[in-house]
Amino acid sequence: MIIGADVTHWTRNEGNKPSIAGVVASLDRQCSVYASKISLQPYRPNRASTEIIQNFKSIVKYLLTEFHKRNKGIKPAKILYYRDGVSQGQFIQTLTEEIAGIQAACKELEDGYQPCITYINAQKRHHTRIFTVDRADADRSGNVPPGTVIDTEITNPILFDFYLSSHAGIQGTNRPCHYSVLWDDSNFTPDFIQLLTYYLCHTYARCTRSVSYPAPTYYAHLLCARARTMLGCMNLNW
């Protein structure tokens, strides 16, 4: 099962409203059918908004239950979790709390159920750009070809991270997505994680081409945006 998660925040001008967490999970082998769940993050006066999903255990348990129902009692043997929107300074706290939430949800679903978990953080807000050495190797827009991976030289010397430019640029310079593998019980090889991540960029239903980051995180982002629009129209007094 592949899970994608994102958290969106309101600006100060929009008032004291709770942040919105959106989580999606694939329910079939083709990763084309997803279940979704949104959750409101508690508002904390005079404190910065947090990226950590507060009630992650109950969200994951709901998604696991939906997977269990659709697949006639079968539970996922591995969980691949793509997390969007977490800065490097929040890696340890987010990893600790959200991995614990997944493990607790699995235990509540069935005692002794411990699937392998892989946690990958996806970042788009950075200033790294990739260029070809030879202009002849670039595509029509002058960008690196889709599927280009950088996992040496400019990456973290401690963590397993890589840059993947998964989409073809139409105009301007592409911004590759920066992936950091923070947890991996499955012992996937780097090549497998990079290839699977690239393949998931081709499964986004709204586009016939590959997109800039994996479909599960894209769907989680859209889920947050839709929930934010709906809550904004309600004019609730928080």
Side-chain angles (χ1 to χ4, degrees), residues 3 56 60 64 79 81 98-107 117:
I3 298 176
F56 197 51
V60 174
L64 286 170
I79 295 176
Y81 177 37
E98 294 184 0
I99 285 291
I102 296 175
Q103 293 172 337
C106 294
K107 187 175 181 180
I117 302 170

Side-chain angles (χ1 to χ4, degrees), residues 49-52 85-95 119:
S49 300
T50 179
E51 277 290 335
I52 300 171
V86 177
S87 63
Q88 191 167 354
Q90 296 177 304
F91 276 0
I92 296 178
Q93 187 180 7
T94 307
L95 171 67
Y119 185 116

